[in-house]
Amino acid sequence: MDTFISALTIFVLALFVGFEVITKVPPILHTPLMSGSNAISGITIIGSLIAAGAKYTTLASVLGVIAVAFATINVVGGFLVTHRMLEMFQKPKTDRKSEK
Amino acid sequence: MPQAIVNIAYLISATLFIFALKGLSHPRTAVRGNLLGALGMLIAIVVTLMDKAIVSYELIILGLLIGAVVGTISALKVPMTSMPQMVALFNGFGGGASTLVAALAFIEAMELGKVMGTQETVATVASGIIGAVTFWGSLVAFAKLEGLIEERPIRYKGEHFVKVLFLLASIVFGVIFGTEREMNYYWYLTASASVLGVLLTIPIGGADMPVVISLLNSYSGLAACATGFVLNNNVLIISGSLVGASGIILTNLMCKAMNRSLLNVLFGGFGEIVAGADEDKVYGGKIKSATPEEVAMLLENARRVVIVPGYGMAVSQAQFAIRDLMKILESKGIEVEFAIHPVAGRMPGHMNVLLAEANIPYEKLKEMDEINPTFEQTDVSIVIGANDVVNPLARTDSNSPIAGMPILDVDKSKTVVVIKRSLAPGFAGIPNPLFAADNTLMLFGDAKKMVQELINALKES
């Protein structure tokens, strides 16, 4: 029960931190906010890593690999695509002739 | 490595995630913020890899490799116009991973002869349901945005009943799983939650996508959070709730920007084709069609021009042409700004990303509340591929489906130029009296082509 209460405490406090921090994000950055927070939710990767490496059962190993792959797509893709977008918002930049 | 050190490393990761989100409060600090977030993730991964439960690394490396290659290629290849579906897809993978990790935690407990406590069991069920809904919901959202399946809402008789049925089924399987401790029931519950995810997203149409994507974003966070309760892992709980909060805030903002409740967006039956809307009454004989040359002349004499982009700009990839139009207008001493409606496009901030891609400085991108008071001093407003977000019926007609929705008051500017392919209604399925207003000129055609013709006409003069 104690662990549950402390986990719950952390959950509730983190929600408040989230609300405070994210309400300060301006609308022009809402797309990067989504992709960036998305990448952060890929933190489940740490759960999948142990499962994939522990070799409990064959099923577990297979599921583990899939979970690692899914979470890695989420993490790598998420941070990278966010970076790509945020760079576009940075000044000063040379005029790119980037027609498509 | 002692558990205490691992936990401290996780704490550092969680702190870095908070800094990452804090960095997003300004475009200047955002890149650094994102890098801090990535660093936090790297720390968490490296520390986890040293866990003593890991006996072999082949499978881990395999998974990491597959994920890294797929993630990198898709992130670098995706065009900015397809960002909504990309984000939806990544989101789905996050949710899917959470579901699998919760399953794996249960397998581990069984293998090691441990009995899962109530907290862990309930959290496993939650993770399974939310994760599966996220995964399949995101896949459907992706397919809709990519045009693989019908983007219009797909509705049928008794759909709410069917949804409730599958939700109840998921919960019942969850309860049996909790009492019987039998793996199969976990798969049954994820299966019915998967169907639920599809059913929940299928009836939602294109212009409501910003809400759905935000909501799925928040689900993926909550799924991670639930997994954190399964593993008793604080960094998962913290990150999950940060993302959950972010998604909820965005969902709420999107709903407010359409003056609709979340329930109405999810279950309301918006966006169905309204049969025989009184188009003739609104448009009959009042539409004034203009040529690019006429509009160019108008622009020549303007002092202030506001450009209002909508989803049509994304569809025709007009953002680069619009940038050139802005340049040429500015070279003639005309002030140019952009008016961005919160739900323009298919995800929050969609228009901003496209305009930033075309190198338009972010200071020129104005939010609705900021730009609305300035329309009265605006000589020409150019509406490019937007419809419902500039429909004055939202202010005047309390029976309209968009009644009360905050809109961009372009009709208050001296002249409005609307670039649009036809008079077809927008997502709300209603005619737009703005098109028939005395101060409105219609420029019929593809957004990109018309903007280019405007540029040519401006160059010639």
Side-chain angles (χ1 to χ4, degrees):
Chain A
M1 199 62 194
D2 273 356
T3 50
F4 174 66
I5 297 297
S6 63
L8 192 65
T9 310
I10 288 167
F11 171 63
V12 173
L13 293 181
L15 271 181
F16 277 103
V17 173
F19 274 105
E20 282 304 312
V21 173
I22 286 144
T23 41
K24 297 204 174 64
V25 178
I28 69 164
L29 291 181
H30 274 168
T31 299
L33 167 66
M34 293 197 76
S35 60
S37 63
N38 214 274
I40 292 176
S41 75
I43 186 71
T44 29
I45 191 170
I46 64 175
S48 66
L49 286 174
I50 299 181
K55 293 218 160 153
Y56 295 121
T57 62
T58 320
L59 175 67
S61 299
V62 174
L63 294 180
V65 176
I66 300 176
V68 173
F70 274 15
T72 314
I73 293 175
N74 194 204
V75 167
V76 174
F79 280 119
L80 214 57
V81 92
T82 309
H83 187 76
R84 249 186 87 193
M85 279 190 272
L86 290 175
E87 275 205 313
M88 301 187 319
F89 280 100
Q90 282 214 315
K91 306 198 294 175
K93 38 200 175 172
T94 49
D95 236 71
R96 278 171 292 169
K97 291 272 183 291
S98 44
E99 192 74 16
K100 263 194 209 163
Chain B
M1 204 183 272
Q3 196 54 41
I5 295 185
V6 173
N7 286 338
I8 287 175
Y10 284 164
L11 179 60
I12 294 172
S13 296
T15 315
L16 286 171
F17 292 154
I18 294 171
F19 277 118
L21 295 173
K22 243 177 109 68
L24 282 173
S25 59
H26 197 281
R28 266 198 315 272
T29 53
V31 171
R32 194 186 58 207
N34 187 51
L35 292 174
L36 287 177
L39 176 69
M41 190 62 74
L42 186 69
I43 293 176
I45 292 173
V46 169
V47 172
T48 309
L49 285 174
M50 294 178 190
D51 192 290
K52 55 184 183 311
I54 296 178
V55 291
S56 83
Y57 284 90
E58 297 96 5
L59 291 176
I60 295 180
I61 293 171
L62 178 68
L64 284 175
L65 219 59
I66 298 173
V69 170
V70 175
T72 308
I73 293 176
S74 35
L76 293 182
K77 284 257 155 113
V78 60
M80 286 300 147
T81 31
S82 308
M83 204 47 81
Q85 48 266 53
M86 190 80 263
V87 169
L89 201 60
F90 285 158
N91 216 348
F93 284 125
S98 290
T99 300
L100 292 175
V101 171
L104 287 161
F106 182 74
I107 296 177
E108 178 195 316
M110 299 233 289
E111 281 298 308
L112 300 180
K114 282 192 289 196
V115 178
M116 264 194 170
T118 315
Q119 172 201 327
E120 288 80 2
T121 315
V122 174
T124 305
V125 172
S127 189
I129 295 178
I130 304 172
V133 168
T134 311
F135 182 69
W136 287 101
S138 300
L139 286 188
V140 172
F142 167 80
K144 283 197 168 220
L145 289 163
E146 188 72 25
L148 302 176
I149 54 174
E150 179 64 38
E151 213 193 9
R152 282 252 161 209
I154 298 166
R155 298 193 165 267
Y156 48 90
K157 257 208 169 110
E159 56 168 312
H160 298 322
F161 175 73
V162 180
K163 283 178 220 165
V164 171
L165 206 66
F166 276 96
L167 176 65
L168 286 179
S170 314
I171 294 172
V172 168
F173 284 129
V175 172
I176 304 176
F177 167 77
T179 46
E180 301 282 319
R181 316 257 158 185
E182 172 62 53
M183 193 67 208
N184 281 341
Y185 289 106
Y186 184 78
W187 300 127
Y188 298 155
L189 86 85
T190 38
S192 61
S194 299
V195 180
L196 181 64
V198 174
L199 292 178
L200 283 173
T201 328
I202 278 279
I204 296 173
D208 280 343
M209 275 300 155
V211 179
V212 178
I213 298 187
S214 310
L215 194 64
L216 289 168
N217 191 37
S218 119
Y219 286 168
S220 80
L222 295 177
C225 212
T227 314
F229 278 97
V230 176
L231 304 172
N232 272 309
N233 185 317
N234 289 341
V235 71
L236 276 172
I237 297 178
I238 297 172
S239 324
S241 26
L242 291 176
V243 180
S246 157
I248 292 167
I249 291 173
L250 288 175
T251 309
N252 196 20
L253 283 176
M254 294 301 112
C255 286
K256 270 198 188 139
M258 298 194 292
N259 191 35
R260 289 162 61 202
S261 69
L262 180 58
L263 283 179
N264 180 272
V265 174
L266 294 182
F267 306 111
F270 202 75
E272 287 160 293
I273 300 161
V274 182
D278 42 352
E279 277 187 23
D280 278 349
K281 219 165 68 198
V282 178
Y283 296 146
K286 287 186 238 164
I287 301 289
K288 290 183 293 295
S289 172
T291 64
E293 288 72 24
E294 287 164 0
V295 175
M297 255 161 41
L298 204 67
L299 290 171
E300 289 274 349
N301 296 318
R303 265 173 315 172
R304 179 181 156 81
V305 171
V306 172
I307 296 175
V308 183
Y311 186 57
M313 175 188 84
V315 173
S316 88
Q317 296 263 9
Q319 64 269 34
F320 298 101
I322 290 174
R323 184 256 332 262
D324 295 340
L325 177 65
M326 172 192 87
K327 287 259 161 77
I328 197 164
L329 289 175
E330 284 184 334
S331 72
K332 292 173 189 283
I334 302 163
E335 180 191 10
V336 182
E337 284 188 329
F338 292 81
I340 315 285
H341 194 277
V343 291
R346 288 293 184 262
M347 78 182 294
H350 192 189
M351 292 296 117
N352 299 292
V353 169
L354 294 178
L355 295 171
E357 182 193 17
N359 247 344
I360 294 166
Y362 58 76
E363 295 91 348
K364 293 192 173 296
L365 313 179
K366 300 292 182 197
E367 294 167 36
M368 181 166 57
D369 294 342
E370 199 183 340
I371 197 123
N372 262 348
T374 71
F375 277 113
E376 277 168 28
Q377 290 96 50
T378 302
D379 300 302
V380 183
S381 291
I382 311 178
V383 178
I384 304 178
N387 190 345
D388 294 333
V389 298
V390 292
N391 191 336
L393 279 182
R395 285 195 310 254
T396 54
D397 180 4
S398 56
N399 294 321
S400 149
I402 57 168
M405 168 171 152
I407 59 159
L408 291 162
D409 299 328
V410 287
D411 54 327
K412 293 189 175 155
S413 46
K414 261 187 219 118
T415 310
V416 184
V417 175
V418 178
I419 303 182
K420 214 174 166 306
R421 270 180 301 207
S422 68
L423 284 173
F427 182 65
I430 50 169
N432 190 341
L434 174 75
F435 303 158
D438 289 338
N439 58 341
T440 300
L441 292 174
M442 298 298 294
L443 198 51
F444 288 110
D446 172 71
K448 188 172 164 187
K449 196 165 153 271
M450 280 303 129
V451 172
Q452 259 151 7
E453 285 187 19
L454 272 181
I455 295 170
N456 293 340
L458 280 167
K459 274 185 188 153
E460 278 163 25
S461 62

